[in-house]
Structure formats: structure tokens, C-alpha cells
Amino acid sequence: MFNKRVKIKELLTWEPAQQEVTVMGWVRSFRNNQFIALNDGSTNNNIQVVAELGRFDDALLKRISTSASLRVSGIIAPSLGKGQKMDLMAHTIEVLGDSDAEKYPIQLRNRPTLEYLREVAHMRFRTNTFASVFRVRHALAFAVHQFFNEKGFLYIHTPIITASDAEGAGEMFRVTTLPFDNTPRNEDGTVNFKEDFFERATNLTVSGQLEGELAATAFGDIYTFGPTFRAENSNTARHLAEFWMIEPEMAFYDLEDNMNLAEAFIKYIIQYVMDHNSEDIDFLAQRLLEEEKQLPQDKRSEMGLKEKLEFVLKNDFQRLTYTEAIEILQNSNYNKKKKFQFPITGWGMDLQSEHERYLVEKEFKKPVILYNYPREIKAFYMRQNEDGKTVAAMDILAPGIGEIVGGSQREERLDKLEQRMKEMQVPVDELWWYLDTRRFGTVPHAGFGLGFERMVQFVTGMGNIRDVIAFPRTPGSAEF
Ligand code: ATP
Ligand code: MN
């Protein structure tokens, strides 16, 4: 057996008392031909390996360079140096893989920028920042499952390839095996998808919601957590072409139940990370502080990362209707001084992200849940309110991010749903299976979608969504 190692995170919790251990990892630095900072990704803290002078060959010592991989066995003892509790006094050091330090793409002394690290995303896991981000991302994902499992929700895997492009959530990526030249065509010149793999046009999914509703109307409470794809050409710090979404769908829920669940869910997963990843949150808080030192005073966050997360846990989200939001925006000094790039034209307008951010960051200074939106700017499946103008939709807006959740109570009344589909030119025939839920034992139900990367951004304080997913897919970029 090769692997009898102790992970460094675990090792650092021990009281050093001459225990014999084996560790494996990658060299972060090597000082004075004697002190190796070794990291194995379990924590940002390194174990200091001491290679006593004279004990090891020069030939071996020369191979201990940045990012070389080592297997080290020895004895742990209280450290004589400052800054660490223990040293690993090496008996044997084996180089598992050499690394040419000059060619290694990440030279820490050059203070690589986040932009540069995106170009070497295959190696950026080995930096403290990305190690912390991805450990937090893992913990959030784990907490998502734990939250729903505790509440008796079923995890449903909805399809990645779909034939319905009816949802209208965004531009879709086509899935096809048809040839580009000599594409089979119908007489009228359109592509003949009958010749395609699925004998119809198919796309990558933009949302698992419609299939999620099928499951919710049998199991009661379900959720999905999977990749979704949008070919939207928006090059922003909060849009990806491939992102992960969590979509719970609950039978017997109205809009208020839906908001309550979403708020409890967000708080739960933040609390989980605060409880289990405090080291990483402290590191990321410090990183953000350093980053913001470059900014003018008025552009810096009012709260540190940890304070912000604690604040969110302690306070109720601000809930207000779309109509109330429009009034606030209209009467704001910001609007009167024409500081919005997109003017507030009045009731019925779609809110731009600058408007959402004004409400969250300037007006309420906490997460906001906006609900009851004009039906003209929302999807066909949202439940129509009695006023004939609005639908039971809700968006959750987070400081620094903007929209993090989009959800609604669903229209469960067949006649109203069909009528709305016709008005919005959604093909009623194609969605026969969706409408069957309304034909056979329809129930009030609701659900929402939380963009997982936006949540990771919120919790880690990373400004760009490309830095919270391992290998981002954005317009013009699909390396690695
Ligand atoms: P936005 O207005 O920010 O583009 P949206 O209204 O298109 O969002 P929904 O269709 O409601 O978003 O999707 C649900 C959630 O998925 C959003 O609240 C957001 O958190 C996330 N999301 C949507 N589009 C993207 C994207 N391109 N990249 C990453 N996350 C996204
Ligand atoms: Mn969008």
C-alpha cells in the first residue's frame, strides 16, 4: 500500500510528541536548504518539514523546488521556530515528481493577479486564494444537500439535454450530430432535424424547473442541483455560459412559503460554512481587505466579509413588492440627480442590475426579496395575481451581487396557464407533458432557482464569477 499519509489539516491539530508520520504534498517554499513548507491542499497552513543539515544528499536537496511533490516520513516535534506549533523532522524525503521552479507558471514573488491566474487555471488550485475558494465551494455544495435532506426533500437529476426550448430563460446551446456541410434540409430549406440523433432539435438545458415540477407533484418536495447552460453573450462579472443551479420545487407552497424557504436555505448554508470553514473565511476576508485597499475610500465595502455574513445571518431579509420598489427608486435622490444609467421610466419597467444594487446597497443595506412583478416581464408559468397585472414572482437580491435567486409560485390552473402560454407564444402542444400535471391532481406549488456560483461569490467575497468555478465557460473562452 502506497498511501499511509496523514493529511496536514489533521496533523496540525495534534499535540507534537515524537509521533511517527508520513505526509505527502507539494512544496510551497524551501528556505536555507533546510526548511520545507509543504502543502497538501487540506488547509492553507503548511507543515514545516525540517531537513536537518548533513542528513540528505545535495542531489536530493536540489530537487526540492516550488511545486515539486514529496513523500516525507519522520517525527513530529514542537517547533523551535516562531509561526508554527510543530515541525516534521524528516527521516526520509522522496521526490515523487520534480518541478522546474523557473518554468512553473505561478511565481508568487511576482504577485500574480486574478486575471493572470485565470490563464493558468489548471494550476491555480495550488494558490491559497483558490484553495480557500474551492474548499468553501465544496462546503456550500455539501450544505445544500444536507439542508434539503434534513427537510425530507428528494434530490432529482433532471436532464441536461432537452427538446423543449420553451422556458425562455436564455439563449440555448444546440446539441446535434448533424454535419455542418451537406446538412440535411427540408424542401423549404430549413434544417431537417428528423435526421438528427434524437430525430428532433435538442439543446442544453437552461433550467431543470419544468421537469422538477413533474417530480414535485408526486413527491411533494424535491430539488435539483446540476449544470445549466446559457448562450447569453453577456460578458459580466456575474454571468457564465455554464453554471450550476439549485432548484427546489415544492407542492403545497405559496409565494410566502417559497420566500421563507429560500431565506432559511441561504442562511443555513452560510452558517454551515461559518461553522466548518472559518480558517478559509478568515483568509478570504483578509484577501478582500487587501484588495480593497487599492480602491478609493468610497468604493470599499462598509463591512468586512465575516461581518457581512454574520449580518446576513442575524437579520431578516427586507421584503417588498415590485410596486413599492419602483416608488422608492423614483423618489430616490439618485434618480433625481440622474445618476442611473438606465432611467426609472415607471411601473412595468424591468429592473436593471444598477437599480437592484441601489435597493440592496444604498436603501436597505441587506438582502432584499422583491415580489409581485408585472406579468409582462416574467415567465409564462408564474401564477397570476388577482389584480390582473402582476404575478407571484420573487427575486432575492444580495449586496455586491444583485440577483441571486429567481422564483415564483407556479400557475396551477390549467385554463389560466394555457391562456398565458398562447399569449406568450409558448407551444402548448410541445409541453403536453408539463400541462398533464395541471390535468391530473393539480396543486398549488412554488419553487426557485439559486445560482450556485453567485452564492459562492457572496460567501467568498470574490468579485468575478470566473474565480469561483474551476474552469469558467464564457464567450470566447473554453480552455481547460
Ligand atoms: P440575470 O438577470 O442576472 O441574468 P436571470 O433572471 O436570467 O438572471 P434566472 O433565469 O431567474 O436568472 O436564473 C436563476 C438564477 O440563476 C439567478 O438568480 C442567478 O443566481 C443564476 N444565473 C442566471 N443566469 C446566470 C448566468 N449566466 N451565470 C451564472 N448564474 C446565473
Ligand atoms: Mn439572465
Side-chain angles (χ1 to χ4, degrees), residues 39-60:
N39 186 280
D40 68 1
S42 60
T43 161
N44 280 349
N45 297 316
N46 306 317
I47 180 78
Q48 170 155 282
V49 175
V50 180
E52 277 174 286
L53 292 173
R55 188 167 185 142
F56 299 94
D57 288 351
D58 273 352
L60 177 81

Side-chain angles (χ1 to χ4, degrees), residues 18 20 26 61 127 146 177 232 247 249 259 288 302 336 341 432 443 452 460:
Q18 314 296 315
E20 174 94 47
W26 295 265
L61 295 176
T127 65
Q146 186 164 289
T177 55
E232 49 196 350
E247 294 180 279
E249 195 67 40
M259 293 193 259
L288 188 61
E302 280 171 38
K336 289 179 183 149
Q341 193 192 335
W432 62 273
V443 286
F452 187 55
T460 58

Side-chain angles (χ1 to χ4, degrees), residues 169-170 230 232 234 239 454:
R230 296 191 186 175
E232 49 196 350
S234 37
H239 286 94
R454 292 202 191 161

Side-chain angles (χ1 to χ4, degrees), residues 338-389:
K338 300 205 185 324
K339 281 204 202 162
F340 288 125
Q341 193 192 335
F342 297 91
I344 308 297
T345 51
W347 200 93
M349 67 177 286
D350 207 354
L351 297 180
Q352 300 293 326
S353 102
E354 57 170 345
H355 308 137
E356 297 176 343
R357 294 186 65 159
Y358 175 86
L359 291 170
V360 173
E361 288 158 31
K362 299 268 187 303
E363 181 74 22
F364 295 110
K365 298 184 194 289
K366 59 172 165 170
V368 168
I369 310 184
L370 283 186
Y371 63 97
N372 289 349
Y373 279 78
R375 62 181 209 155
E376 305 308 327
I377 57 172
K378 288 291 184 183
F380 73 89
Y381 50 72
M382 298 187 175
R383 193 176 197 280
Q384 297 177 53
N385 289 326
E386 298 310 313
D387 62 11
K389 296 193 312 192

Side-chain angles (χ1 to χ4, degrees), residues 169 230 232 238-240 243 245 403-406 449-451 454 465:
R230 296 191 186 175
E232 49 196 350
R238 12 172 239 116
H239 286 94
L240 291 163
F243 65 100
M245 188 147 62
E403 181 186 330
I404 192 160
V405 161
L450 172 112
R454 292 202 191 161
I465 200 164

Side-chain angles (χ1 to χ4, degrees), residues 412-453:
E412 83 284 9
R413 298 162 295 187
L414 181 63
D415 54 333
K416 299 236 186 237
L417 181 57
E418 277 183 335
Q419 188 200 341
R420 195 71 192 127
M421 289 170 84
K422 285 180 192 134
E423 281 166 14
M424 295 177 75
Q425 281 152 31
V426 177
V428 175
D429 299 344
E430 260 180 49
L431 288 179
W432 62 273
W433 47 271
Y434 180 68
L435 292 171
D436 265 4
T437 55
R438 276 65 168 173
R439 289 192 183 104
F440 306 108
T442 193
V443 286
H445 64 290
F448 62 85
L450 172 112
F452 187 55
E453 283 75 18

Side-chain angles (χ1 to χ4, degrees), residues 22 41-42 55 79 98 100 121 130 132 158 166 169 173 182 219 241 247 249 255 270 272 287 321 400 432 456 469 476:
T22 298
S42 60
R55 188 167 185 142
S79 181
D98 290 286
D100 182 338
F130 287 93
S132 283
T158 50
F173 290 101
N182 284 322
F219 295 112
E247 294 180 279
E249 195 67 40
L255 187 67
I270 293 175
Y272 183 90
R287 188 208 72 84
T321 63
W432 62 273
V456 181
I469 189 164

Side-chain angles (χ1 to χ4, degrees), residues 276-294:
H276 294 85
N277 296 70
S278 57
E279 232 175 63
D280 288 318
I281 294 296
D282 285 340
F283 179 86
L284 291 164
Q286 191 57 35
R287 188 208 72 84
L288 188 61
L289 205 67
E290 297 291 324
E291 183 182 82
E292 292 199 339
K293 277 187 191 155
Q294 324 288 327

